[in-house]
Amino acid sequence: AQSVTQLDSQVPVFEEAPVELRCNYSSSVSVYLFWYVQYPNQGLQLLLKYLSGSTLVKGINGFEAEFNKSQTSFHLRKPSVHISDTAEYFCAVSHTGGFKTIFGAGTRLFVKA
Amino acid sequence: NAGVTQTPKFRVLKTGQSMTLLCAQDMNHEYMYWYRQDPGMGLRLIHYSVGEGTTAKGEVPDGYNVSRLKKQNFLLGLESAAPSQTSVYFCASSTGTGSQETQYFGPGTRLLVL
């Protein structure tokens, strides 16, 4: 069975500082990995995804994530955050050949002025 | 394109009442999903559909039923609401080529069961 663990439930950070949101997964088969963002009172939208190939994936709004197969991690990073990045971020995993996606519990990013 | 829309946006029910949540998508997507979102638990899959006329159970299907009579619509029913079903419900859709595809989410329905 697959599972996703987001290691931090909340991450406060000052504006223009770098941030890393951590995600670990477990799966016995090949996986696809996703990061979604949820702004207040909205549905989720895709930030980026890893399907295959280069382990460094670039997404929207300056975010990027690195797939590390040996550590089963897919951490999300941004070198300089803005107030507008305040949101909840979800890591998700699905397995090749499947229909379902498993979501982590989410990490709330608070960007302070 | 409206994308994925959900009706209603907010509802209050009494224990034992029934209701139907409607999800509609105009992207001609094959796959549709219903999730519930609870604090500290992320999104949990209730039911999903891989095509018109087909549905399947997800992680937490008990107390819910679904129907996909038309490709663009996916209905979620609560036959006898319970306080444990107080949650935010999200519908999502994706193209029919597999789990690598991006899911597109609706804005959510907030349900309070008293």
Side-chain angles (χ1 to χ4, degrees):
Chain A
Q2 299 160 285
S3 67
V4 179
T5 302
Q6 292 186 241
L7 296 159
D8 306 292
S9 59
Q10 297 185 60
V11 174
V13 64
F14 285 103
E15 195 174 19
E16 298 183 7
V19 71
E20 178 179 82
L21 306 184
R22 298 179 293 166
C23 173
N24 286 93
Y25 69 92
S26 66
S27 177
S28 57
V29 297
S30 296
V31 297
Y32 303 123
L33 294 158
F34 306 80
W35 276 100
Y36 284 85
V37 60
Q38 184 182 31
Y39 298 105
N41 299 314
Q42 295 185 27
L44 281 70
Q45 54 185 279
L46 183 73
L47 266 182
L48 50 80
K49 62 183 177 182
Y50 170 80
L51 302 182
S52 65
S54 173
T55 57
L56 183 64
V57 181
K58 293 191 183 298
I60 62 171
N61 300 339
F63 284 92
E64 63 181 33
E66 186 154 19
F67 170 53
N68 187 319
K69 189 174 182 179
S70 62
Q71 296 188 6
T72 60
S73 67
F74 191 54
H75 300 334
L76 181 71
R77 302 185 183 99
K78 186 169 182 177
S80 175
V81 294
H82 303 289
I83 297 285
S84 59
D85 292 323
T86 293
E88 188 154 20
Y89 293 78
F90 292 92
C91 183
V93 62
S94 65
H95 74 80
T96 58
F99 301 111
K100 296 181 283 186
T101 301
I102 306 299
F103 287 82
T107 297
R108 288 188 178 275
L109 176 64
F110 295 103
V111 182
K112 301 177 285 187
Chain B
N1 279 358
V4 180
T5 57
Q6 292 183 232
T7 311
K9 288 186 170 52
F10 178 71
R11 185 76 183 267
V12 179
L13 286 180
K14 294 181 180 178
T15 297
Q17 287 185 318
S18 63
M19 77 165 294
T20 300
L21 283 68
L22 171 63
C23 175
Q25 52 95 3
D26 61 2
M27 297 175 283
N28 202 33
H29 284 170
E30 288 292 336
Y31 294 1
M32 295 187 76
Y33 310 83
W34 275 108
Y35 295 92
R36 59 177 289 172
Q37 183 181 30
D38 301 293
M41 303 189 75
L43 274 74
R44 291 182 291 169
L45 183 65
I46 304 171
H47 285 281
Y48 64 101
S49 168
V50 298
E52 181 179 320
T54 70
T55 63
K57 294 180 180 179
E59 239 184 304
V60 288
D62 294 342
Y64 305 94
N65 57 74
V66 288
S67 64
R68 182 107 181 261
L69 299 179
K70 293 183 180 180
K71 185 177 183 179
Q72 63 268 32
N73 295 339
F74 195 28
L75 279 63
L76 178 71
L78 286 72
E79 290 185 348
S80 179
S84 60
Q85 294 177 304
T86 292
S87 188
V88 182
Y89 292 85
F90 287 100
C91 177
S93 70
S94 66
T95 63
T97 54
S99 64
Q100 74 273 21
E101 296 301 326
T102 300
Q103 292 188 26
Y104 295 84
F105 285 81
T109 295
R110 292 182 177 275
L111 176 64
L112 175 62
V113 182
L114 301 175

